Amino acid sequence: AGADVNKARQAEDPESNKVWTNVGPLHLAAALGNLDIVNLLASAGADTIGPAVIKNTVTGEIIEGRPFDFAVGYSHHLTAYTLWSASKRDKQAAHEFPTELSAYRAPIETRRQTEKDIIETLITNVLS
């Protein structure tokens, strides 16, 4: 049996006085902007919309967020776009481009098209 890609944990960060609850591997990969790991976890069935909770132990402030929210919050725009694309949300809502990423839409779409072109070129050259 493989690893549980949705296994949630609790983590404490004494330096920032924060306790993370219900945080899964995808939340961490999104917060770090690790696009390769985000793609791997999403393709393995990781929950792209499950919320994690961050509590500041000094102020008591509580923040709830999906992996997408963490990627946006740490300015990992391509990672956020990938999470939005892979989201298992209502497909009707998922068709609208996230307002949080609107300023980055052109470079994100350009990079995605470049990646697609490279893959098509590699496949064409290998199969011919």
Side-chain angles (χ1 to χ4, degrees), residues 2-96:
D4 181 0
V5 295
N6 291 310
K7 186 168 185 168
R9 300 188 186 274
Q10 179 170 319
E12 294 184 39
D13 182 1
E15 287 184 25
S16 67
N17 299 314
K18 292 180 181 170
V19 176
W20 293 54
T21 307
N22 199 35
V23 63
L26 192 57
H27 293 93
L28 296 175
L32 295 170
N34 193 320
L35 186 57
D36 293 331
I37 298 299
V38 165
N39 278 321
L40 182 67
L41 290 168
S43 67
D47 182 2
T48 59
I49 60 171
V53 177
I54 303 172
K55 180 179 181 181
N56 185 309
T57 57
V58 174
T59 66
E61 176 187 18
I62 296 175
I63 300 170
E64 209 174 286
R66 303 164 294 155
F68 172 85
D69 301 319
F70 291 113
V72 169
Y74 287 101
S75 299
H76 301 304
H77 305 110
L78 186 56
T79 301
Y81 175 84
T82 300
L83 287 161
W84 169 73
S85 298
S87 174
K88 295 176 183 162
R89 291 182 275 180
D90 171 24
K91 294 300 176 187
Q92 192 74 4
H95 284 99
E96 294 181 33

